[in-house]
Amino acid sequence: MSEPEKKEKKEEKTCGDGWERFSNSVSSLSLSLLPTLLFILIMSYIIVVGLQNADITFTVQGQEVTITYPEINIPVDYGAIKNAVIYLFAAILIGLPVPLLSGKWKPLKIVVSLIQAGAFIYGLYIFVMMIIKFASALT
């Protein structure tokens, strides 16, 4: 394969401009972080709220053993988790029209991409601060 053919093939692979690739990257990062947040939300709810003072009974070598799940005071900020999920989901939705904006709409594409990045960064900030507050409360 000659050098011009390689260059042409590379250009076909990256068909969007820099702002479209930037927007796609932010959407991809948001999609990667959302399942983690939802898992944390579900597990923290089960541990903190669902199992409070629950009696778990099982059999060990023919004897019934009952374990009472203790009351746990874990500082989980459900509002912060909800806000982080909303901002990350908004970052995905904001980026949807970016590939459609071309030509004279390029300044709008830039603004939309930057707003999308801002929503992602703020959602990520909320997520990191929630983890830091949680870790500092446990020490």
Side-chain angles (χ1 to χ4, degrees), residues 18 25-26 32 44 48-49 62 69 77 85 88 94 97 101 107 128 139:
S25 298
V26 170
S32 297
S44 63
V48 174
V49 177
Y69 195 80
D77 190 358
V85 168
L88 292 173
I94 290 169
L101 304 171
V128 170
T139 58

Side-chain angles (χ1 to χ4, degrees), residues 15-117:
C15 58
D17 67 356
W19 290 105
E20 287 180 36
R21 290 191 300 275
F22 176 73
S23 176
N24 287 338
S25 298
V26 170
S27 293
S28 177
L29 289 170
S30 295
L31 279 172
S32 297
L33 194 54
L34 271 173
T36 304
L37 276 172
L38 292 175
F39 177 76
I40 290 171
L41 179 64
I42 291 168
M43 291 307 294
S44 63
Y45 185 80
I46 289 171
I47 291 171
V48 174
V49 177
L51 292 176
Q52 292 293 338
N53 298 321
D55 289 332
I56 302 169
T57 304
F58 55 93
T59 305
V60 177
Q61 297 178 353
Q63 294 182 350
E64 277 197 18
V65 177
T66 301
I67 298 174
T68 302
Y69 195 80
E71 186 174 324
I72 299 176
N73 294 323
I74 297 177
V76 178
D77 190 358
Y78 294 108
I81 296 173
K82 181 189 82 161
N83 287 338
V85 168
I86 289 171
Y87 277 102
L88 292 173
F89 192 66
I92 295 167
L93 291 179
I94 290 169
L96 289 177
V98 168
L100 303 175
L101 304 171
S102 61
K104 65 179 182 178
W105 295 100
K106 187 162 182 149
L108 183 60
K109 179 190 284 190
I110 294 169
V111 170
V112 168
S113 295
L114 292 175
I115 290 172
Q116 178 188 19

Side-chain angles (χ1 to χ4, degrees), residues 1-12:
M1 195 177 258
S2 69
E3 193 65 34
E5 289 175 354
K6 288 181 183 177
K7 190 174 183 181
E8 184 177 311
K9 200 162 211 165
K10 186 178 178 184
E11 288 175 6
E12 288 176 9

Side-chain angles (χ1 to χ4, degrees), residues 115-135:
I115 290 172
Q116 178 188 19
F120 170 75
I121 289 171
Y122 190 65
L124 184 64
Y125 167 77
I126 292 171
F127 178 64
V128 170
M129 289 307 296
M130 179 189 66
I131 292 172
I132 290 171
K133 286 179 184 176
F134 177 73

